């Protein structure tokens, strides 16, 4: 099969499409024939060497939508099932940017019925990150939450999920994104100016760090999206970062919210698998609204 890897760290030009053996599922694993796989900023970080692994061939890709085509022993899925999954791991020999991928059975959920595979592939990593970040924030209905990067993939899901929980959510994004952010359910919007100590919690999807921490009330909570980069606690504010984990049951809940019209999937552009390097170059340019998706 074809698979997207890096053999050395660097820019988009270091992305290669190589021939690799088709993986075989073991106990409590399934193999998915990939229909679509999203490209995320974490893939660019892996490609650049942010997470280590020098001297090894590293496969790229975390999200997958496709069809189960083989199952291991004691599997709970059947050949032919249409599914989505999160293939967790920073440094791994193969990722979802391939024609086939093997994942644990408990990382898998039934695919949404209301969107195609390309759109479904944008869900697992970003929606699970948003949901698990909100869990860490422990924001109760009626409390106030600021989501930075509210027009981005993680931020947009967080706004929708928080609004559904009855949280008074404000989105921070570019001025031109106000209409979109409010359409997600944000009660408030800011294009940049935020009063200090004005929110019970901040989900810092834009990775602003200390400036975002200043917007949390004394004793509130701050959660970032890159583990190890969150600012130190001040004024009794709890600080942490979400480290996303694969969770098929939680992913199934998020799929239902897609089918119920609560969560909106967004695709910016699709690329053939063979043009993975071109997709990475587009991601590097910035200004992408929605996800870039690779299609084998």
């Amino acid at each position: 099969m074809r698979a997207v890897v890096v053999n050395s760290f660097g820019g988009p030009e270091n992305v290669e499409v190589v021939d690799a053996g088709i993986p075989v599922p073991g106990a409590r694993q399934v193999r998915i024939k990939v229909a679509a796989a999203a490209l995320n900023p974490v893939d660019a970080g892996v490609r650049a060497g942010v997470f280590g692994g020098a001297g090894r061939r590293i496969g790229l890709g975390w999200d997958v939508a496709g069809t189960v085509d083989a199952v291991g022993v004691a599997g709970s899925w059947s050949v032919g099932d249409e599914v989505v999954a999160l293939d967790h791991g920073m440094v791994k020999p193969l990722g979802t940017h391939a024609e086939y991928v093997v994942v644990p059975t408990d990382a898998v959920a039934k695919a949404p019925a209301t969107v195609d595979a390309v759109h479904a592939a944008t869900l697992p990593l970003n929606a699970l990150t948003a949901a698990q970040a909100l869990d860490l924030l422990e924001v109760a209905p009626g409390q106030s939450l600021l989501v930075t990067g509210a027009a981005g993939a993680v931020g947009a899901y967080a706004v929708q999920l928080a609004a559904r929980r009855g949280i008074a959510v404000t989105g921070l994004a570019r001025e031109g994104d106000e209409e979109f952010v409010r359409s997600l359910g944000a009660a408030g919007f800011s294009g940049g100016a935020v009063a200090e100590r004005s929110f019970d919690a901040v989900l810092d999807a834009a990775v602003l760090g200390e400036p975002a921490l200043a917007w949390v009330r004394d004793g509130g909570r701050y959660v970032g999206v890159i583990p190890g980069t969150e600012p130190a606690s001040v004024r009794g504010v709890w600080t942490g970062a979400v480290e996303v984990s694969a969770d098929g049951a939680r992913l199934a809940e998020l799929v239902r919210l897609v089918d119920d019209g609560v969560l909106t999937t967004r695709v910016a552009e699709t690329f053939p698998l063979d043009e993975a390097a071109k997709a990475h170059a587009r991601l590097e340019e910035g200004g992408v609204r929605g996800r870039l998706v690779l299609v084998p």
Side-chain angles (χ1 to χ4, degrees):
M1 70 170 187
R2 293 171 299 154
V4 179
V5 304
V6 289
N7 285 298
S8 60
F9 299 135
E13 67 279 0
N14 287 65
V15 174
E16 301 179 43
V17 180
V18 300
D19 289 326
I22 297 176
V24 177
R28 293 179 293 281
Q29 291 182 323
V30 299
R31 184 172 68 210
I32 300 171
K33 183 177 182 180
V34 180
L39 173 64
N40 290 282
V42 67
D43 295 306
V46 171
R47 183 201 74 218
V50 172
F51 306 106
R56 298 166 56 183
R57 171 175 285 187
I58 302 172
L60 301 178
W62 290 54
D63 290 308
V64 60
T67 305
V68 173
D69 96 310
V71 297
V73 178
S76 54
W77 296 93
S78 301
V79 172
D81 287 342
E82 301 291 332
V83 297
V84 290
L86 178 68
D87 181 25
H88 185 279
M90 298 293 185
V91 180
K92 52 197 176 186
L94 292 172
T96 63
H97 297 170
E99 293 181 292
Y100 296 89
V101 65
V102 166
V103 297
T105 56
D106 59 5
V108 181
K110 184 179 178 181
T114 55
V115 299
D116 61 17
V118 171
H119 285 80
T122 69
L123 184 71
L125 176 60
N126 295 298
L128 281 170
T129 298
Q132 292 171 10
L134 289 174
D135 292 346
L136 286 176
L137 285 168
E138 300 180 350
V139 189
Q143 288 189 303
S144 60
L145 168 69
L146 176 70
V147 176
T148 73
V154 173
Y157 282 135
V159 170
Q160 290 181 309
L161 290 169
R164 181 176 181 271
R165 297 183 186 184
I167 296 166
V169 58
T170 294
L172 176 68
R174 297 174 184 173
E175 292 287 357
D177 290 319
E178 179 173 3
E179 182 179 352
F180 170 69
V181 172
R182 289 190 180 276
S183 77
L184 301 172
F189 177 84
S190 173
V194 179
E196 291 189 1
R197 308 185 188 188
S198 55
F199 291 92
D200 294 312
V202 168
L203 197 172
D204 188 17
V207 198
L208 301 180
E210 290 188 3
L213 180 62
W215 301 328
V216 184
R217 291 181 179 141
D218 294 357
R221 296 179 77 85
Y222 166 102
V223 166
V225 295
I226 303 178
T229 65
E230 66 272 17
S233 174
V234 294
R235 300 181 287 104
V237 176
W238 184 89
T239 65
V242 61
E243 186 166 356
V244 68
S245 59
D247 184 338
R250 190 68 176 280
L251 183 55
E253 295 174 8
L254 296 167
V255 166
R256 285 192 288 272
L257 293 180
V258 171
D259 285 338
D260 290 343
V262 175
L263 293 181
T264 305
T265 59
R266 290 185 294 156
V267 173
E269 193 173 351
T270 60
F271 292 83
L273 190 68
D274 287 337
E275 294 183 3
K278 184 177 178 181
H280 275 255
R282 176 66 189 92
L283 184 64
E284 290 278 287
E285 292 172 4
V288 177
R289 284 293 177 262
R291 278 285 170 249
L292 305 175
V293 179
L294 297 177
V295 180

